[in-house]
Amino acid sequence: MGDTRADGYLAVFSGLRSRSAQLDDSVEHAWELKDRLSAVFAREGNPLGDDQYGAELEKNQWIIENGILVAFDEYIAELEDLRDGLRASATNYQAAEGYGDPGYDTGDGPAYPRGG
């Protein structure tokens, strides 16, 4: 009946794996940005000073900063889920095609290498 790929799908395992490797880089970069921002928050303290605006910010500053850092955590989790999904898809498609070698990018690293 011809090439089975013409009858269904064509999965490019190397493409799925290279995209997941790119996401590894994105995850690491996001962790670095979060760490740098957290350090800025700690270093700068209350940037508005001791006037009424500074006093108001001081009451809510930890809520604002925590919200931003939690948003980073959620973004990183989304990147990791996408990366892990691409890896799983590559492995599943490869197994369905009958290829035994899972390739170079099969790491099953922890979802949150530095805690979440």
Side-chain angles (χ1 to χ4, degrees):
M1 190 88 18
D3 187 0
T4 57
R5 295 176 194 184
D7 295 331
Y9 62 89
L10 173 61
V12 180
F13 314 128
S14 62
L16 293 170
R17 292 190 195 292
S18 66
R19 295 287 187 209
S20 72
Q22 289 171 352
L23 282 164
D24 273 335
D25 293 340
S26 295
V27 166
E28 184 61 32
H29 183 68
W31 276 116
E32 290 169 8
L33 289 174
K34 181 187 175 204
D35 290 345
R36 287 171 45 193
L37 182 60
S38 184
V40 168
F41 287 156
R43 181 179 65 242
E44 296 300 322
N46 184 346
L48 296 182
D50 294 330
D51 63 7
Q52 68 185 25
Y53 299 108
E56 188 61 30
L57 176 61
E58 190 171 14
K59 287 187 227 174
N60 298 305
Q61 187 171 0
W62 71 272
I63 295 170
I64 296 166
E65 291 173 0
N66 187 58
I68 292 168
L69 296 176
V70 166
F72 259 99
D73 288 339
E74 291 169 354
Y75 174 68
I76 292 168
E78 289 291 325
L79 290 174
E80 290 171 332
D81 286 345
L82 180 57
R83 176 202 60 202
D84 296 345
L86 288 171
R87 283 184 182 152
S89 293
T91 300
N92 291 339
Y93 283 129
Q94 197 165 3
E97 291 290 324
Y99 295 97
D101 180 16
Y104 69 91
D105 184 25
T106 60
D108 291 323
Y112 287 94
R114 292 190 239 170

